[in-house]
Amino acid sequence: QVQLVESGGGLVQPGGSLRLSCAVSGTIFRLNDVGWYRQAPGKQRELVARITSGGSTNYADSVKGRFTISRDNAKNTVYLQMNSLKPEDTAVYYCNVKYIRDYWGQGTQVIVSL
């Protein structure tokens, strides 16, 4: 019953910006911790950023200062604002909700290239 739908991915030049969105349904969203993960081909999936139900955030060292995670509980949506993008940020980005178990979205592709 829990569903996550990501959007906002695309192709962007190095130094550019992108904003990802994840719409969540099937939970009392305001009570959930939410995270963004990414996975490049042949690589492990890694945590990029997370935000708790109380609004506390943490980030991977590789994105700290460039990415910002936020949430709008009225819209049941979590966002990832990505600035100063680098080619190393190229990956499929996944939204994750912790509610009894882990739930995942379908992923949205981000390509950072000239």
Side-chain angles (χ1 to χ4, degrees):
Q1 202 63 38
V2 178
Q3 291 185 296
L4 288 68
V5 180
E6 298 119 327
S7 61
L11 194 155
V12 64
Q13 295 181 3
S17 297
L18 219 51
R19 190 195 197 198
L20 307 183
S21 299
C22 175
V24 180
S25 62
T27 77
I28 306 175
F29 178 74
R30 62 183 174 83
L31 302 181
N32 301 143
D33 293 352
V34 187
W36 284 98
Y37 292 72
R38 67 186 181 188
Q39 187 168 24
K43 305 289 187 179
Q44 298 180 82
R45 187 172 299 187
E46 64 175 347
L47 175 67
V48 176
R50 72 186 349 161
I51 185 166
T52 70
S53 60
S56 298
T57 60
N58 66 272
Y59 300 89
D61 288 341
S62 59
V63 308
K64 195 170 296 183
R66 301 188 296 122
F67 291 10
T68 303
I69 188 171
S70 62
R71 65 192 298 161
D72 186 339
N73 289 337
K75 296 182 177 180
N76 285 8
T77 301
V78 61
Y79 305 96
L80 185 67
Q81 178 67 48
M82 305 184 294
N83 298 326
S84 302
L85 283 161
K86 305 174 180 179
E88 306 91 88
D89 296 318
T90 297
V92 177
Y93 284 71
Y94 298 90
C95 186
N96 167 266
V97 171
K98 297 188 182 299
Y99 175 70
I100 303 173
R101 52 153 289 206
D102 283 318
Y103 292 90
W104 299 91
Q106 79 286 353
T108 185
Q109 176 74 63
V110 171
I111 300 175
V112 185
S113 180
L114 292 169

